[in-house]
Amino acid sequence: MCGICGMFNQSNTTRPDRAVVERMLHAIRHRGPDGSQVMVRDEVALGFNRLSFLDLEGGMQPIQNEDGTVAMICNGEVFNFRELRAELEEKGHKFRTKTDVEVIVHLYEEEGVDFPKRLNGQFAIALYDERKKQLLLVRDQIGICPLFYTVQDGRVLFASEIKAILEYPGTPRKLNMKAVDQLMNFPGVVSPVTFFEGIHALQGGHMLQVTADNIRDLEFWDLRYPVEEEEDRGEEYYAQTLREKLKEAISRRLVADVPIGFYISGGLDSSVVACYIGKFLLNSYYSFSAEIGEGELDESRFQQMVKECVGSTHYKVKVNEAELWENLGKVIYHAESAVKETYDVAAYLLSGLVAQSPAKAVLTGQGSDEFFCGYVGYMLDLFRNMQKGRMTAEECEANELLWGDPYFRYERIHPEIRKIHRQVYSGNVRGEIEKFSAWAQSPIDTRKVEGLSAQKRRSYIDYKLRLSDHLLGEHGDRMFFSHSVEGRHPFLDTELLDFVVTIPDKYKLNGTNEKYILKRAGEGIVPEPILKRKKFPFQAPGMSAMVKRPSLGPDFLSDELLKKYGIFDVDYVHQMKAAYAQEDFKLMGAYEIDYLLIVMTVTMLCEQYGLSV
């Protein structure tokens, strides 16, 4: 993985400025400290920062085809490159490097704009075709690798992180209130929305086709559940096949010329990855864990259990509250996003721990919850008929608009929390709320969930709203690369997902036993106490812990700053601070929204990036 950036002239006739691209690269140097390269042609400039994994000596990008008419930069990995390379070499293509991503240029020569459909990996690609005067920007199927773009001064600008785009002279710095409202309503911001007005996130599974006179957004992949379940092939078949698919997905992500490690959280998902590595693939490796929380929230004994099972060389960090607040500003800078949980800081500190080891990448358990019914909402759907009678006409109308089903409730009762939002927002913003409302229209294409079971509908929405931009984006990719570390996610292997969508609902949620078939696949591999333990949401201290102690650093909840931006109601912020300061005040972890943290981190974001409102 690496960092990419560049520009493409549409109506601007001046040659791209190399010095600007070099400044863009410098802004994201943390994504690739192993070397940089810039290519400038008449209408295009491509910039690349390298984090080396394969062909350490000869894998610098941009990579070109045989006659130099196609040039490509890629942030990411192609895990099925060996099969693709053999196929392309048989067709006569000549390879100059031993890297995985060189297959992209030759695959494009063979298949044109359909080439991403053949890739199993995690990637953000910029590919320039000199003959067609065309730039293709591509983001992987799930959206693991970020890619942002905007149009300024007759040029399409793109980069792995927004801070690189801001290096282009004259790029506006204005807060996007729709992103703020999405954070208030959903797990996080949803592509193509970002916190920077006019700067867009390319959606996972999408390609931007750019020519001198047109920009087309093309979808090449989406998660598709069958409306009618296929013939049930029996529990044993699904458990055994899942076991084999997991082994293949994990082994593909261990290919590198540098050491690779894995995270151990103590939960089921990371334990499956770690124990599969220990049992089937390696005798010893590097593992990492963060200890946070006390009492029932302390998972250190489960982490130790997995470490002993695998026999890895283990690194751990204990995260205390002071460190959360000391590092929150760094997290907001790298995430380019406000947050409503502090666990991003734990992820930031954990990637810093990896950077102190020989490992340059880590495997995680991310993506399991969304596809194996790992959240409490899947169990609440079992009581759908009981909930119907308690839903107001207003809620049903909102649910129909947002999720395509009047009786499907996704996390919040939106009309009720909107009443809170009207108190949190300032009077001026309150009057404009309909202009940027997160639920003026659905954040998903509701046609794609028509006819699906509640379980499949929730899985699709979780993938779109929670996984891609929140867990894999600001919480994942941005925290990994803040310390020049790459994250790899076996549960998001496209071959594995093609199988997972065919598993009948009853094997994923067996009564109230979540991830049932995954636990079956882990039998005899993962320690039994971990297979049997009840899932609980990962929690980190929120603002209630902070306001009870002297503030560390600048006061981002000061009246002066709140009035400067005019987004939030000063008096209501005072009320929240007073409530949070009460000794018996406690938010219910993942089930209640930490509005005070949203207020503070939105203000932090504006201050750090000089955003106007």
Side-chain angles (χ1 to χ4, degrees), residues 279-339:
K279 185 173 182 65
F280 297 114
L281 302 167
L282 296 164
N283 294 322
S284 180
Y285 238 49
Y286 301 102
S287 59
F288 308 88
S289 63
E291 296 178 10
I292 186 169
E294 299 176 351
E296 292 183 358
L297 300 180
D298 181 8
E299 297 190 90
S300 60
R301 69 183 182 94
F302 295 104
Q303 294 168 355
Q304 180 66 21
M305 192 180 299
V306 174
K307 181 260 178 185
E308 291 175 358
C309 174
V310 176
S312 55
T313 301
H314 191 63
Y315 296 73
K316 61 182 179 180
V317 58
K318 189 165 182 66
V319 182
N320 58 48
E321 285 184 12
E323 287 177 303
L324 291 176
W325 306 120
E326 287 169 0
N327 290 283
L328 186 58
K330 297 173 187 174
V331 164
I332 300 305
Y333 171 77
H334 283 286
E336 299 170 341
S337 171
V339 300

Side-chain angles (χ1 to χ4, degrees), residues 59-91:
M60 180 56 76
Q61 301 179 33
I63 293 175
Q64 301 180 47
N65 66 341
E66 292 90 339
D67 64 7
T69 57
V70 178
M72 179 277 308
I73 49 178
C74 176
N75 162 32
E77 313 289 342
V78 177
F79 297 122
N80 62 334
F81 77 98
R82 287 171 170 158
E83 306 95 289
L84 291 173
R85 181 166 179 149
E87 173 188 323
L88 291 163
E89 285 179 330
E90 192 172 326
K91 292 180 178 179

Side-chain angles (χ1 to χ4, degrees), residues 175-185 189 193-195 338 425 436 438 567-568 598 602 605:
L175 180 69
N176 185 358
M177 284 300 300
K178 185 166 186 178
V180 178
D181 209 49
Q182 284 191 342
L183 186 63
M184 299 270 263
N185 284 276
V189 176
V193 173
T194 75
F195 273 92
Y425 286 134
F436 58 80
I567 304 168
F568 303 109
I598 293 176
V602 168
L605 183 72

Side-chain angles (χ1 to χ4, degrees), residues 66 83-95 106-112 118:
E66 292 90 339
E83 306 95 289
L84 291 173
R85 181 166 179 149
E87 173 188 323
L88 291 163
E89 285 179 330
E90 192 172 326
K91 292 180 178 179
H93 290 275
K94 304 299 182 186
F95 284 74
H106 303 297
L107 195 60
Y108 168 75
E109 290 181 289
E110 289 291 328
E111 308 205 4
R118 298 286 309 281

Side-chain angles (χ1 to χ4, degrees), residues 150-223:
T150 189
V151 180
Q152 298 291 333
D153 190 30
R155 286 180 169 141
V156 175
L157 311 172
F158 65 89
S160 297
E161 297 185 15
I162 293 171
K163 57 181 66 68
I165 293 175
L166 296 176
E167 291 296 318
Y168 185 84
T171 302
R173 295 179 179 235
K174 186 175 182 181
L175 180 69
N176 185 358
M177 284 300 300
K178 185 166 186 178
V180 178
D181 209 49
Q182 284 191 342
L183 186 63
M184 299 270 263
N185 284 276
F186 307 144
V189 176
V190 187
S191 294
V193 173
T194 75
F195 273 92
F196 297 73
E197 191 166 301
I199 299 178
H200 316 287
L202 185 63
Q203 298 177 71
H206 280 239
M207 168 191 293
L208 211 64
Q209 186 179 37
V210 185
T211 58
D213 56 3
N214 198 17
I215 299 177
R216 298 176 64 204
D217 189 336
L218 308 173
E219 182 182 79
F220 66 87
W221 188 92
D222 198 10
L223 183 71

Side-chain angles (χ1 to χ4, degrees), residues 168-424:
Y168 185 84
T171 302
R173 295 179 179 235
K174 186 175 182 181
L175 180 69
N176 185 358
M177 284 300 300
K178 185 166 186 178
V180 178
D181 209 49
Q182 284 191 342
L183 186 63
M184 299 270 263
N185 284 276
F186 307 144
V189 176
V190 187
S191 294
V193 173
T194 75
F195 273 92
F196 297 73
E197 191 166 301
I199 299 178
H200 316 287
L202 185 63
Q203 298 177 71
H206 280 239
M207 168 191 293
L208 211 64
Q209 186 179 37
V210 185
T211 58
D213 56 3
N214 198 17
I215 299 177
R216 298 176 64 204
D217 189 336
L218 308 173
E219 182 182 79
F220 66 87
W221 188 92
D222 198 10
L223 183 71
R224 294 297 174 92
Y225 278 107
V227 174
E228 299 291 335
E229 289 196 348
E230 298 180 8
E231 180 184 355
D232 186 350
R233 303 181 69 171
E235 182 178 313
E236 194 57 41
Y237 165 79
Y238 293 109
Q240 184 58 38
T241 305
L242 179 57
R243 188 174 290 123
E244 294 304 315
K245 295 287 185 184
L246 275 168
K247 285 164 60 177
E248 293 168 4
I250 292 168
S251 64
R252 279 193 277 265
R253 282 154 182 79
L254 293 172
V255 176
D257 294 333
V258 295
I260 306 292
F262 49 88
Y263 280 169
I264 295 177
S265 71
L268 175 65
D269 310 327
S270 68
S271 299
V272 165
V273 174
C275 293
Y276 268 62
I277 290 173
K279 185 173 182 65
F280 297 114
L281 302 167
L282 296 164
N283 294 322
S284 180
Y285 238 49
Y286 301 102
S287 59
F288 308 88
S289 63
E291 296 178 10
I292 186 169
E294 299 176 351
E296 292 183 358
L297 300 180
D298 181 8
E299 297 190 90
S300 60
R301 69 183 182 94
F302 295 104
Q303 294 168 355
Q304 180 66 21
M305 192 180 299
V306 174
K307 181 260 178 185
E308 291 175 358
C309 174
V310 176
S312 55
T313 301
H314 191 63
Y315 296 73
K316 61 182 179 180
V317 58
K318 189 165 182 66
V319 182
N320 58 48
E321 285 184 12
E323 287 177 303
L324 291 176
W325 306 120
E326 287 169 0
N327 290 283
L328 186 58
K330 297 173 187 174
V331 164
I332 300 305
Y333 171 77
H334 283 286
E336 299 170 341
S337 171
V339 300
K340 58 184 175 186
E341 302 103 350
T342 59
Y343 60 55
D344 279 18
V345 184
Y348 172 81
L349 295 172
L350 192 53
S351 68
L353 186 66
V354 179
Q356 298 171 27
S357 79
K360 294 184 71 172
V362 286
L363 274 64
T364 82
Q366 201 66 269
S368 169
D369 286 323
E370 290 75 14
F371 302 116
F372 290 97
C373 304
Y375 298 120
V376 68
Y378 293 92
M379 280 182 269
L380 294 178
D381 287 338
L382 299 175
F383 306 100
R384 174 184 171 94
N385 290 330
M386 294 172 59
Q387 293 176 1
K388 284 182 181 180
R390 298 195 292 267
M391 291 185 180
T392 65
E394 188 180 17
E395 183 187 358
C396 289
E397 183 180 353
N399 290 340
E400 177 69 39
L401 170 68
L402 291 171
W403 322 122
D405 181 338
Y407 300 111
F408 182 85
R409 178 183 291 167
Y410 185 73
E411 294 197 343
R412 314 291 175 194
I413 303 175
H414 289 281
E416 290 300 314
I417 64 170
R418 178 58 94 204
K419 295 173 185 176
I420 301 173
H421 299 168
R422 290 186 178 278
Q423 295 177 284
V424 177

